[in-house]
Amino acid sequence: MRYRAGLAGEATLRVTVEFSDAGSRSLGIEWSPVASGAHKKLEYARIFLVPLGSEGRRVYLGIVDGRASTSVRLPEALADGEYAMEVDAYGSASWGDGRLDARGRSATFVVGAGGLPCGTGG
């Protein structure tokens, strides 16, 4: 899947990922609109894990209601490699009808040693 934030009128999000230590499989994710004064409040977000450097599909991790941050757990069977987190955000509960309001992708991070995050990339 080719990443295309900002197309079809949606806003671009700044997405950050944090993990506390190499032994933790949980990541903290935060997002905010890149441009100040976003046109509408974002109420819901869907969170995805994206494998990089291959034709792998993004993996749905969950939905967040009314917040601009969350904590997610990496899948147990996650292969070593480079990944990013993507956030699709919606201004209302109408996310099911395909009205995407904002999208963003984090910087690359590396998963190694049996699926544990071991650092950040570019």
Side-chain angles (χ1 to χ4, degrees):
M1 175 179 167
R2 186 171 276 157
Y3 178 66
R4 302 178 315 182
L7 294 180
E10 73 255 13
T12 302
L13 296 174
R14 178 178 298 110
V15 179
T16 58
V17 175
E18 293 184 14
F19 49 93
S20 58
D21 62 63
S24 173
R25 295 184 60 80
S26 293
L27 301 175
I29 305 166
E30 294 184 12
W31 56 93
S32 62
V34 170
S36 61
H39 65 284
K40 77 176 3 181
K41 184 176 179 185
L42 301 173
E43 296 289 338
Y44 296 89
R46 293 189 300 169
I47 311 300
F48 298 90
L49 177 66
V50 181
L52 302 177
S54 70
E55 292 299 317
R57 295 186 176 268
R58 63 187 193 162
V59 177
Y60 173 75
L61 297 178
I63 190 164
V64 178
D65 179 4
R67 293 178 289 138
S69 66
T70 192
S71 180
V72 297
R73 189 148 174 83
L74 294 175
E76 291 296 326
L78 189 63
D80 293 353
E82 290 186 316
Y83 293 87
M85 300 303 290
E86 279 186 4
V87 176
D88 289 356
Y90 304 85
S92 70
S94 66
W95 60 269
D97 70 6
R99 175 73 179 133
L100 178 64
D101 291 308
R103 172 177 276 171
R105 179 181 277 190
S106 73
T108 301
F109 60 91
V110 178
V111 173
L116 299 174
C118 58
T120 58

